[in-house]
Amino acid sequence: MSQPYLSSDDLPSKRMIQISEILLRQLEEATKKSFYLTCDRMTRILLSSCHWYFRIESGILSLIMICPDMKSYRNIMKTLPQFTQKLKQFANKARISISPPVDKGTPWVISIDENLSEGDSPTT
């Protein structure tokens, strides 16, 4: 099947695409600041122990955390239910990706619409 053809008049301009990308990055940064401010002291300390940021792709908000060592990875994984509850305040559809140190495993991804209680946290 051939794809429908859109004339150049029906497509967004290169400038409009660039502006949209800039606005999306600004939204991600504002979300990061607001998320951090809603966290309690202990959660902020945990966030500070790793590299973390937000990405919005296809309308889904993703919290991405990259842990530099196994200690921070284990601590983040233990508090995953708290992170999911906080993230639910910001989006109806979101996910969390937690990456262990390089060569120590693969990233673990969960959708926040999955119910995860304290006892259901993955073992580390």
Side-chain angles (χ1 to χ4, degrees):
M1 288 181 80
S2 63
Q3 294 189 351
Y5 173 77
L6 293 175
S7 70
S8 60
D9 291 340
D10 294 331
L11 297 173
S13 68
K14 184 177 179 179
R15 174 114 170 100
M16 189 57 65
I17 291 171
Q18 290 172 335
I19 291 170
S20 293
E21 289 173 358
I22 290 169
L23 291 173
L24 194 58
R25 298 293 88 82
Q26 289 176 343
L27 177 59
E28 291 167 350
E29 192 59 33
T31 302
K32 179 179 178 177
K33 289 177 185 176
S34 295
F35 181 83
Y36 187 81
L37 291 174
T38 65
C39 293
D40 60 31
R41 182 178 174 273
M42 201 60 194
T43 305
R44 288 180 183 183
I45 291 170
L46 287 173
L47 286 170
S48 298
S49 72
C50 62
H51 175 69
W52 67 283
Y53 57 96
F54 281 98
R55 272 290 169 251
I56 301 171
E57 294 178 7
S58 302
I60 299 174
L61 179 66
S62 296
L63 170 59
I64 300 156
M65 295 183 273
I66 303 167
C67 303
D69 53 50
M70 288 307 291
K71 180 181 178 185
S72 62
Y73 178 75
R74 282 190 294 273
N75 289 334
I76 293 287
M77 294 301 280
K78 286 178 186 175
T79 58
L80 188 58
Q82 291 90 332
F83 282 107
T84 60
Q85 290 305 312
K86 289 288 181 197
L87 196 54
K88 285 179 183 180
Q89 297 174 16
F90 290 86
N92 293 328
K93 192 169 189 176
R95 75 181 129 220
I96 298 175
S97 172
I98 305 170
S99 297
V102 177
D103 297 330
K104 299 287 185 185
T106 58
W108 197 82
V109 180
I110 184 171
S111 175
I112 66 156
D113 54 354
E114 295 174 21
N115 290 329
L116 183 69
S117 66
E118 299 262 351
D120 293 335
S121 291
T123 55
T124 55

